Amino acid sequence: MDLDTARSRISEVDRRLVELLNERARMSLNVGAAKRRTLKEQGDDNDPEVYVPGQEKRVFEKVRNLNQGPLSGESVCAIYREIMSASISLQSEVSVGYLGPPGTFSHQAAMQRFGDSLAYVPYAKIEDVIVAAAKEEVTYGLVPIENSTFGAVVQTLDAFVSQPSVKIRAEVYLPVTQSLLSRYQLSAIRKVYSHPQAFGQSRAWLDQHLPHAARVEVSSTAKAAELAAAENYAAAVSSEVCASMYHLDVVAKDITTAGDNTTRFFVLGQSSDMPTGDDKTLLMFTVDHREPGALCGALNVFAKHKINQTAINSRPSRQRQWHYMFFIEILGHELDANVASALEEIKAYCLDLVVLGSYPHQYY
């Protein structure tokens, strides 16, 4: 095939693609209209959920299976991410709150999940994102929950204690690579800014290469880059995305201790998605610490109902000293029969029990 013929065929494929994309968009609008009619018939005047993670997961799995190359499965899913993002924006004005400023890993995770067509709203603190989602100041919020190297994000757990009404809709995984950014060479750096999690992920490198530089914790890695750009002899542990955004040089790449460093995030809204058959649920509860074996009794309920626990964390309950709130992540949806039975039974051991949400189990 000669060059002119190849280009002519590409132009024809482009024409057909545009037609099909708009046909798909019209069908998406029809789906939204059908949802609203169904809700109205049920006496519900609320707007339907436009972000349905279970359906999204099914779409991605379908297009991966349909793909015969030469495009990779990841590339096809990235294209469909933007197609679905554009379709969501046609159905409703959707805003996503995240820990700012722009360029944070939270911002990157939000863009990875929702695409370019939605509105993004930065907040100064994780708690502010959760409050905004709970009060419906934004349609959805996205917050970090744990890092594979440094563990749970306690600011998120603490905010759940004070804002238990918000619901988890989805989880998002983002591979995280930290770099050292600055306007100065390594030998001239006297201060390093970053988020506590980023310091934890890069501690070994900093101990070896900048043992005498002061380390200053700030609210996000992007805020660290912003400060480093404005201060002499300062640096930031941040992402390479922030280097271009804040006009910094990458002094050292990939300074994280673990090569498979990944952060998990939660998408928050007013409700959880329906069961998909492969879900997780996050619970928050307290027990009577004066009752011997109260926590053990609660956990044994899950074993009795053959429910696997994937994570356990605790934080001060703020009700009184030395009293703790436990966070238990389990496999299954709160509407699954065995999970529903376990949740009813576990109330005998719990003073408070809150289901923070059920969400599809993500593998990528």
Side-chain angles (χ1 to χ4, degrees), residues 60-228:
F60 283 147
E61 289 173 347
K62 178 180 66 178
V63 298
R64 281 176 179 270
N65 291 331
L66 289 172
N67 181 42
Q68 298 297 314
L71 291 174
S72 68
E74 289 73 18
S75 295
V76 171
C77 285
I79 293 167
Y80 264 80
R81 158 62 53 226
E82 294 306 325
I83 292 172
M84 289 190 287
S85 177
S87 295
I88 288 174
S89 69
L90 287 175
Q91 292 185 43
S92 176
E93 292 185 6
V94 177
S95 57
V96 181
Y98 68 93
L99 176 65
T104 60
F105 289 112
S106 292
H107 189 199
Q108 294 175 45
M111 294 285 289
Q112 173 184 300
R113 178 55 61 193
F114 290 100
D116 283 330
S117 297
L118 308 188
Y120 292 93
V121 184
Y123 288 88
K125 296 183 296 183
I126 288 173
E127 183 178 8
D128 294 341
V129 178
I130 295 178
V131 169
K135 293 183 177 181
E136 299 186 69
E137 294 173 5
V138 291
T139 316
Y140 304 109
L142 183 139
V143 293
I145 184 62
E146 67 174 332
N147 176 264
S148 60
T149 302
F150 205 58
V153 180
V154 297
Q155 296 93 333
T156 300
L157 296 179
D158 288 343
F160 281 149
V161 174
S162 58
Q163 294 289 333
S165 63
V166 73
K167 292 294 183 182
I168 303 166
R169 286 192 66 76
E171 60 178 359
V172 183
Y173 290 87
L174 182 75
V176 171
T177 301
Q178 305 286 3
S179 297
L180 187 73
L181 314 182
S182 182
R183 294 186 290 115
Y184 298 88
Q185 295 181 347
L186 185 65
S187 59
I189 294 170
R190 299 291 177 264
K191 183 186 294 183
V192 182
Y193 291 101
S194 200
H195 186 273
Q197 285 264 340
F199 275 137
Q201 296 159 22
S202 57
R203 181 180 295 119
W205 191 95
L206 293 172
D207 287 346
Q208 180 180 351
H209 297 279
L210 287 172
H212 303 298
R215 300 176 194 178
V216 181
E217 295 183 354
V218 293
S219 58
S220 70
T221 53
K223 184 64 177 179
E226 181 183 338
L227 292 170

Side-chain angles (χ1 to χ4, degrees), residues 158 161 314-320 322-325 327:
D158 288 343
V161 174
S314 65
R315 294 296 297 162
S317 68
R318 302 181 184 177
Q319 297 175 3
R320 56 182 181 273
W322 322 124
H323 187 260
Y324 294 90
M325 193 73 73
F327 296 84

